[in-house]
Amino acid sequence: MGRLASLTSRLVVTAVALVLLVSLLIGTVATLAVRSYLLGQVDDDVRAALQRAEYVAASQFFVPCSTPAPPAGGVPDDLDDRDRGPGDGDDPGRGQSVGTLTAFFEQDAGTDPAGCVLTPGEDGRPGTRALSTAALDLLADLPADGRPREVDLPGVGSYRVAVRETATGGYTVAAGLPTDDLDGVVSTLVTTEVVLILLGGAVAGLAGLLVVRRQLRPLREVADTAHTVAELPLAQGEIDLTERVPAHLTDERTEVGRVGSALNTLLAHVGSSLEARHRSELQVRQFVADASHELRTPLATIAGYTELARRRPDDATAVTTALAKVEEESGRMTSLVEDLLLLARLDAGRPLESAPVDLTRLLLEAVSDARVLSPDHHWRLELPEEAPAEVDGDEQRLHQVVTNLLTNARKYTPAGSTVTVTALPDGFRVHDDGPGFPPELLDHAFERFARGDTARTRGGAAAPGGAGLGLALVEAIVTAHGGRVTLVSRPGDTAVEVTLPGAVD
């Protein structure tokens, strides 16, 4: 069973079994046809022998199984040499072949039946051998309709026998021929067929093994590719999954080609998934490092000022300054932790509230707050003239999105820059004419802890930037609403557009 587990073995065994089955059917049909043909010839000979036996029974001076005298008037003209009976001349076997069975049953109940079988004589002339009483009884029980039947006669063997009543003479005549030759021919044919079928099965098995192995060679190459990939260390780190099934084994018109193409598609998908996993691992490591760095600075500041207040408890100014710095850094850490917690909740798929939000009012309030916080910038708000813009969403989180974008524009553009907020039918856009994002940062602007260089820091390097979570929160909140954020930036022209679904008409 272990050897038959392979596809090659099963295909070869199936092919050989089909060859043997078809050969067996053909051999059986051929044997039956040959036997039927030969049996028909024997039956024709039996009928001819029966006709000659009837002629003998009608002969004058008839003595069963002996040499009768010629009939009055001679031999009828309608019987040729083959049909001349034992009464023609003094040869009792004239016209009958050796082994022919002849039996005569006189209709007079007082006469015993007589029967004999022609046998080869020592001098070349045929002799006779009398039938036993048991054989004659079997012949007497046969229907006298002239149809050949197969009978197994005691002491004689298997015969095809026909029985018929003579038209004259008051006799019932039986004639038959042995079936030994027929059985020998059929037996030889069957033996030959069995030998040929076995040889054909062996040849079919060998040829099938060679052909199947050759046809399955491409499948083994595909399996080798899969084994090669399986041996790669895929658990961690960067994976270089470049192994692929050769192009000549990816033809979709063949079964092996479909398997090879499917495996290549699977490997491409696995490769992209592993690359995404590796990038995610790197982002997590970078995220942990950045978060640790952002938290370490205020913690170090708090520890330093706490130590200062502990060492100078009598200095009211130092204590007041220390407490103020502790409070400021605590607030900074609280804001950072809250932002991180919000990102974690959004990543976990926590649902947000959904209610109609007046986007026009939300933008108006955010721009008014920005004017108060940064009067040195020029703030513009463009609202639709017809109906107020409304969307379905979480008002508090959407307000945080607008505030983060305006804070980002306020921090990273110099004084005198113009920031324009435009309400759209399905969202809004924030545009500024500042220096724009650095080209190397543009593709990573929405990643966590991504920061611009000092060129986007208002007031130069002396003014510290944020933690780098503002735009990451914007994208996470908008994505949680089912929307999207796009960024286009070049010097003097930076625009962030937020598109939200579920606009209310």
Side-chain angles (χ1 to χ4, degrees):
M1 294 301 295
R3 293 183 178 180
L4 292 179
S6 67
L7 180 60
T8 300
S9 301
R10 293 200 299 271
L11 289 176
V12 172
V13 169
T14 302
V16 172
L18 290 175
V19 169
L20 293 177
L21 178 61
V22 172
S23 300
L24 183 61
L25 291 176
I26 294 175
T28 302
V29 172
T31 301
L32 294 176
V34 170
R35 188 178 189 280
S36 177
Y37 174 76
L38 295 178
L39 194 61
Q41 288 187 328
V42 171
D43 289 345
D44 291 340
D45 292 340
V46 169
R47 292 187 185 95
L50 180 62
Q51 184 178 7
R52 289 190 291 270
E54 289 177 339
Y55 170 74
V56 170
S59 299
Q60 196 174 12
F61 310 113
F62 167 68
V63 178
C65 294
S66 63
T67 306
V75 180
D77 295 334
D78 58 348
L79 291 177
D80 58 14
D81 290 340
R82 179 186 176 189
D83 295 328
R84 297 180 186 273
D88 186 11
D90 55 359
D91 184 359
R94 178 84 181 265
Q96 300 282 32
S97 61
V98 174
T100 302
L101 175 149
T102 308
F104 303 91
F105 303 91
E106 189 175 4
Q107 296 178 1
D108 184 1
T111 305
D112 294 332
C116 62
V117 176
L118 293 180
T119 59
E122 296 180 356
D123 55 355
R125 299 182 61 187
T128 60
R129 180 161 59 91
L131 294 175
S132 65
T133 302
L136 291 173
D137 291 341
L138 286 176
L139 293 175
D141 293 335
L142 294 177
D145 55 3
R147 292 179 53 188
R149 291 177 173 81
E150 189 163 350
V151 181
D152 192 7
L153 298 175
V156 179
S158 180
Y159 268 74
R160 293 288 289 183
V161 179
V163 180
R164 189 162 55 197
E165 292 181 1
T166 60
T168 61
Y171 280 96
T172 299
V173 180
L177 290 173
T179 59
D180 294 342
D181 291 342
L182 184 149
D183 293 339
V185 171
V186 173
S187 177
T188 302
L189 177 61
V190 170
T191 303
T192 304
E193 288 174 344
V194 169
V195 173
L196 291 178
I197 288 174
L198 294 178
L199 290 177
V203 173
L206 180 60
L209 183 61
L210 296 177
V211 171
V212 169
R213 283 185 175 179
R214 181 178 180 84
Q215 294 300 320
L216 293 183
R217 186 183 303 166
L219 190 59
R220 288 195 294 272
E221 295 183 27
V222 174
D224 292 339
T225 301
H227 284 300
T228 302
V229 174
E231 294 174 356
L232 295 176
L234 306 178
Q236 59 183 358
E238 185 176 3
I239 307 300
D240 185 17
L241 191 59
T242 59
E243 191 73 24
R244 292 292 184 274
V245 177
H248 68 279
L249 298 179
T250 58
D251 188 355
E252 292 283 352
R253 296 173 297 179
T254 64
E255 290 78 4
V256 175
R258 287 196 291 270
V259 174
S261 178
L263 182 58
N264 277 351
T265 303
L266 176 62
L267 292 177
H269 177 67
V270 171
S272 60
S273 300
L274 291 176
E275 291 178 1
R277 185 204 67 182
H278 182 61
R279 289 196 301 269
S280 177
E281 290 178 352
L282 295 180
Q283 290 174 355
V284 169
R285 293 171 186 170
Q286 187 64 36
F287 175 79
V288 172
D290 292 337
S292 301
H293 176 75
E294 292 296 328
L295 291 173
R296 183 179 60 181
T297 300
L299 286 174
T301 302
I302 291 173
Y305 279 99
T306 302
E307 180 67 18
L308 176 63
R310 185 180 65 81
R311 290 186 178 183
R312 302 169 64 179
D314 298 333
D315 190 344
T317 302
V319 172
T320 302
T321 302
L323 291 177
K325 291 299 293 182
V326 169
E327 183 179 6
E328 179 184 349
E329 295 301 326
S330 297
R332 181 181 174 187
M333 283 196 305
T334 300
S335 176
L336 177 60
V337 172
E338 288 179 352
D339 288 345
L340 293 175
L341 180 60
L342 176 59
L343 285 172
R345 288 176 175 174
L346 294 176
D347 289 342
R350 295 281 185 90
L352 298 176
E353 294 183 3
S354 180
V357 178
D358 187 347
L359 195 58
T360 300
R361 180 179 60 82
L362 189 148
L363 295 177
L364 182 59
E365 293 177 354
V367 172
S368 299
D369 295 340
R371 285 196 180 104
V372 175
L373 294 174
S374 181
D376 295 335
H377 284 72
H378 301 290
W379 301 93
R380 298 177 58 188
L381 178 62
E382 298 179 356
L383 299 175
E385 296 181 358
E386 57 277 359
E390 289 189 356
V391 296
D392 285 333
D394 188 327
E395 182 175 1
Q396 181 180 358
R397 297 307 172 200
L398 292 178
H399 186 276
Q400 186 176 3
V401 169
V402 179
T403 302
N404 284 2
L405 291 176
L406 296 183
T407 300
N408 204 58
R410 173 172 57 85
K411 285 185 177 182
Y412 299 111
T413 57
S417 299
T418 300
V419 180
T420 304
V421 181
T422 304
L424 303 174
D426 56 352
F428 61 92
R429 179 175 57 249
V430 178
H431 176 273
D432 69 72
D433 57 1
F437 282 77
E440 65 275 7
L441 181 64
L442 192 58
D443 294 335
H444 309 283
F446 294 101
E447 294 180 2
R448 298 166 189 184
F449 297 106
R451 300 184 186 85
D453 57 11
T454 55
R456 285 188 59 85
T457 302
R458 182 174 62 87
L469 295 177
L471 291 182
L473 280 170
V474 168
E475 184 183 43
I477 294 173
V478 172
T479 301
H481 279 82
R484 59 187 178 88
V485 184
T486 56
L487 170 63
V488 178
S489 180
R490 53 182 176 269
D493 182 14
T494 298
V496 179
E497 185 171 324
V498 175
T499 301
L500 297 168
V504 180
D505 295 333

